[in-house]
Amino acid sequence: MTWEIGEEIIKKILEKAPYAEGKVRRERRLEFKIPAERIREFLMIMKENGFPLMLQISAVDWIKEGEIELVYHLMNIELGTHAMVKVRIPRDLDKAKMPTVRDIYPAAETYERDVHDFFGVYFEGNDKMEMPWILDDPERGLYPHRKDFDMLGYVKKKYKILDRFDENKDKYVI
Amino acid sequence: MVTQEELIREARENGMELYPIEKDTYELFFGPQHMATENFSIILKMDGNRVVKAIANPGFLHRGFEKLAEFRPWYTNIALLLRICVPEADVPEAIYSMAVDEIIGWEVPERAQWIRTVVLEMARVSAYLFWIMGLSFKLGVYTAGQWAAAYRERFMRLFEELTGGRVYHIYTIPGGVRRDIPGDKWLRQLKDTVEYIKSKLPDFDNLVFENYITYKRMEGIGVMDRKFALAEGVTGPNLRATGVAYDVRKDDPYLLYPELDFEVPTLKEGDALARALVRRYELEQDLYILEQLLEMGPPSGPYKVEDPRLKNLPRFKVPAGDAFAHVESTKGDFGAYVVSDGGNKPYRVHVRGPSIAHGIRVLEQLLVGARIADVPVILMSLDNCPPDIDR
């Protein structure tokens, strides 16, 4: 899919950030893939080049590859163009660390707290990381959105309704 | 533990007049049971009746929709995700369906696009009426609130005839809509309702939006400027009240919006009153859009795609890929990021609730220095929808 304005934006950004890969997904949708350690400088470039609004930070747990993918959703208000900045980091708890981008996009603070609570990615430099967020204290540190989170075991432990579940059945549709 | 001196110094830096220092600050838990907060909780540190510090305390509604969505087949998820934002339940349906359409590469038929646009606009009008109800109750103008609830009821009835459900519709599905519009009689009823509500707008103006009390209560409180709002990721009417004309319907058009003629109202003040007035002007624009759509009339053709895969919905599979779709809701830019690994269930659904931007950090900063009586008004002027935050 070709979209000329998008190609120009990508060309302009890749000149300043040669380590990145960029492509036009469709009209008004761009995608960038960058190494995790360059995220701060890349987002600074993006902000200077007309992407002032951060919509959210999504995390996807790719358990087979042993990686967590973070997707920074940015919006260009004037051209109405949405850009995804994709980063992959290891999913081991002691290695899943990212620098915070709170000083570049202040809105990122909330999304980083969200990703930390549900995926266990630690954002260095965000001092609200350890503050209580949506989960209650007993759930904190379990990282419920990870794919290896034992949902059935958790439900059994928490609500103590053992006889409702059949041990021999391996799949449940809840 | 923050000391009192630090709190007072922080409040002074924020430009607030303080009572004598010997007065104690105390902690006040505002919500989630308090009616004015709508299931949201704020911990307020108070000095007299002034807020010195506010800490948003979400999590009372958390139902884990995103996790549950990973265990359900693609089509079953609509009945789950639409419960994210109750006053505007059609928006989560639409964004999820649009994202899935994009991953599969489906072109939605014209008739379905027309119906989706009408449903989204109806949802916007009824959500604004719901908001007027909340605002009037918090300002003490109960009459206007009851009017708004009664007018919203007309839309509920139309929705019931169209979809079978009053609040939760389960109507917009990937590939189109679930069933066709009931007929010309329904279209006539919708037209009458739109005209009726349009004729009633001056009453709202007289009672709420041009009222001396409203101006006294709302003017100059909770002020944010353009730069602050953009940095904090605020969207929707809250951003437009600071002078930025960002509207997803204009800037990243979807469905039939490129063909429609409407304005994006903006104001520059950025206070609670400006946010309320922007919503009032938008209500008028939404009714105008509905009029245009009804004049256009539904195009002929099928109301959903014809695909053999739809014969067996539990085994329906979506090819691997990801997509982001967003629409303009009354709260702001509502988006969904959907990832598929080729299975019969989504690999990941991440919903961007617009309230997460203006409901946590912005709220915490706007409340500093406000009086306790202003807290519900600021909260209502931001139009915070707590289920967006606790998805």
Side-chain angles (χ1 to χ4, degrees):
Chain A
M1 175 90 202
T2 53
W3 178 49
E4 280 177 20
I5 305 168
E7 300 284 356
E8 274 169 33
I9 299 175
I10 284 184
K11 204 179 147 200
K12 206 165 93 183
I13 286 167
L14 292 193
E15 265 172 23
K16 290 177 186 164
Y19 47 83
E21 291 171 41
K23 69 169 184 190
V24 177
R25 289 168 66 98
R26 67 169 174 87
E27 204 182 319
R28 294 172 198 278
R29 291 284 185 280
L30 307 177
E31 185 183 322
F32 295 96
K33 280 183 186 163
I34 56 164
E37 62 275 10
R38 312 299 280 266
I39 183 73
R40 284 181 56 83
E41 55 175 294
F42 188 76
L43 288 189
M44 263 182 228
I45 294 169
M46 291 293 279
K47 197 178 180 184
E48 281 159 16
N49 284 284
F51 287 85
L53 195 67
M54 173 171 273
L55 289 185
Q56 68 175 4
I57 302 174
S58 308
V60 187
D61 184 8
W62 294 104
I63 189 164
K64 278 181 197 155
E65 290 132 64
E67 282 174 332
I68 284 182
E69 187 174 53
L70 294 176
V71 189
Y72 293 75
H73 299 266
L74 307 175
M75 195 75 201
N76 183 331
I77 287 179
E78 270 137 39
L79 295 171
T81 303
H82 174 262
M84 290 186 209
V85 180
K86 291 187 176 178
V87 170
R88 286 205 174 213
I89 52 172
R91 75 186 291 280
D92 301 342
L93 276 175
D94 45 345
K95 286 182 201 156
K97 289 196 168 97
M98 281 292 283
T100 180
V101 293
R102 183 170 78 142
D103 45 339
I104 307 165
Y105 290 99
E109 182 189 285
T110 323
Y111 308 127
E112 285 175 358
R113 282 168 83 183
D114 203 83
V115 175
H116 174 65
D117 242 24
F118 293 107
F119 284 89
V121 179
Y122 193 86
F123 289 87
E124 285 158 337
N126 187 341
D127 56 7
K128 290 207 174 168
M129 206 89 286
E130 298 303 330
M131 259 177 78
W133 179 238
I134 284 173
L135 299 181
D136 277 347
D137 283 344
E139 283 97 8
R140 279 175 71 83
L142 290 176
Y143 308 124
H145 271 343
R146 286 188 167 225
K147 287 282 175 186
D148 55 358
F149 174 72
D150 181 9
M151 199 154 96
L152 185 59
Y154 175 78
V155 170
K156 278 181 178 176
K157 200 177 144 206
K158 171 132 187 173
Y159 299 102
K160 301 186 181 63
I161 34 176
L162 298 166
D163 49 342
R164 249 181 76 183
F165 301 103
D166 182 3
E167 291 286 343
N168 302 323
K169 220 174 157 184
D170 55 345
K171 272 189 183 171
Y172 285 89
V173 178
I174 293 172
Chain B
M1 186 66 202
V2 191
T3 61
Q4 191 188 343
E5 279 80 1
E6 279 173 9
L7 283 176
I8 291 167
R9 196 175 61 238
E10 196 182 319
R12 285 230 165 86
E13 280 165 10
N14 282 302
M16 174 192 135
E17 295 165 22
L18 278 181
Y19 287 91
I21 262 173
E22 56 267 24
K23 267 202 174 177
D24 287 338
T25 55
Y26 57 95
E27 218 171 53
L28 184 70
F29 280 65
F30 197 71
Q33 296 95 336
H34 195 287
M35 284 196 312
T37 58
E38 303 182 339
N39 308 331
F40 195 67
S41 165
I42 316 166
I43 302 167
L44 299 171
K45 289 216 169 94
M46 306 290 298
D47 179 357
N49 76 341
R50 292 270 178 183
V51 181
V52 183
K53 188 174 184 174
I55 300 164
N57 185 20
F60 290 92
L61 276 167
H62 188 63
R63 295 154 293 180
F65 282 159
E66 289 171 3
K67 185 76 183 171
L68 286 174
E70 292 169 13
F71 290 86
R72 289 162 172 252
W74 285 97
Y75 271 81
T76 326
N77 268 325
I78 296 158
L80 176 79
L81 292 171
L82 66 99
R83 282 168 170 81
I84 283 174
C85 194
V86 184
E88 217 178 356
D90 297 287
V91 171
E93 292 177 29
I95 49 177
Y96 176 75
S97 306
M98 280 158 66
V100 175
D101 286 343
E102 194 182 322
I103 300 177
I104 306 177
W106 269 340
E107 283 287 326
V108 180
E110 272 182 22
R111 191 177 176 86
Q113 288 197 15
W114 186 87
I115 300 173
R116 275 186 185 187
T117 321
V118 168
V119 167
L120 278 177
E121 283 305 313
M122 281 168 70
R124 274 177 75 84
V125 175
S126 52
Y128 274 138
L129 290 171
F130 198 66
W131 170 80
I132 291 179
M133 184 184 87
L135 179 77
S136 318
F137 282 4
K138 263 124 238 180
L139 291 171
V141 200
Y142 289 89
T143 316
Q146 283 157 4
W147 287 347
Y151 301 154
R152 182 171 175 264
E153 191 61 28
R154 290 174 171 252
F155 275 99
M156 297 289 107
R157 263 184 229 155
L158 287 169
F159 268 129
E160 191 175 9
E161 207 172 320
L162 178 67
T163 67
R166 277 165 53 82
V167 180
Y168 296 129
H169 306 135
I170 322 179
Y171 187 61
T172 310
I173 55 171
V177 290
R178 190 158 50 84
R179 64 186 197 197
D180 208 351
I181 39 176
D184 290 345
K185 193 185 160 206
W186 185 84
L187 292 174
R188 274 201 306 279
Q189 280 173 346
L190 178 59
K191 204 172 176 207
D192 290 349
T193 309
V194 169
E195 271 169 22
Y196 181 73
I197 290 172
K198 211 170 178 181
S199 71
K200 292 293 176 188
L201 282 181
D203 293 352
F204 283 121
D205 285 350
N206 289 335
L207 205 50
V208 187
F209 296 105
E210 287 170 5
N211 191 336
Y212 176 73
I213 298 169
T214 309
Y215 274 69
K216 268 284 182 208
R217 288 291 305 276
M218 299 188 85
E219 205 167 12
I221 62 168
V223 186
M224 55 178 167
D225 63 0
R226 179 196 162 104
K227 205 179 151 197
F228 171 81
L230 274 178
E232 294 289 351
V234 178
T235 49
N238 297 332
L239 180 65
R240 290 196 282 278
T242 65
V244 184
Y246 170 61
D247 187 318
V248 184
R249 294 174 295 173
K250 279 268 188 214
D251 291 320
D252 187 5
Y254 49 94
L255 301 178
L256 291 184
Y257 287 110
E259 298 166 29
L260 295 166
D261 165 46
F262 64 99
E263 280 174 23
V264 180
T266 55
L267 283 174
K268 283 198 178 127
E269 289 81 6
D271 58 355
L273 182 70
R275 293 195 279 275
L277 291 178
V278 164
R279 290 200 170 85
R280 158 70 183 78
Y281 299 142
E282 279 195 9
L283 178 57
E284 208 171 314
Q285 291 297 324
D286 291 337
L287 291 170
Y288 177 48
I289 291 175
L290 274 176
E291 275 179 352
Q292 285 179 57
L293 283 166
L294 287 169
E295 206 170 292
M296 222 189 261
S300 54
Y303 57 92
K304 66 176 175 187
V305 289
E306 283 158 10
D307 196 303
R309 283 179 286 180
L310 293 181
K311 292 280 188 309
N312 188 356
L313 285 183
R315 300 222 176 272
F316 172 79
K317 282 182 181 167
V318 170
D322 59 343
F324 178 83
H326 60 164
V327 308
E328 181 74 24
S329 81
T330 55
K331 319 276 185 275
D333 187 340
F334 214 126
Y337 177 61
V338 180
V339 183
S340 167
D341 65 342
N344 66 339
K345 296 173 189 122
Y347 192 76
R348 170 98 169 106
V349 181
H350 190 203
V351 176
R352 173 212 148 70
S355 303
I356 201 166
H358 59 246
I360 306 284
R361 267 176 64 88
V362 172
L363 183 71
E364 282 174 357
Q365 293 171 60
L366 291 192
L367 283 183
V368 172
R371 291 177 304 148
I372 181 77
D374 293 337
V375 174
V377 178
I378 293 180
L379 199 60
M380 206 60 218
S381 76
L382 288 169
D383 202 2
N384 187 4
C385 187
D388 278 0
I389 301 167
D390 308 348
R391 296 162 316 262

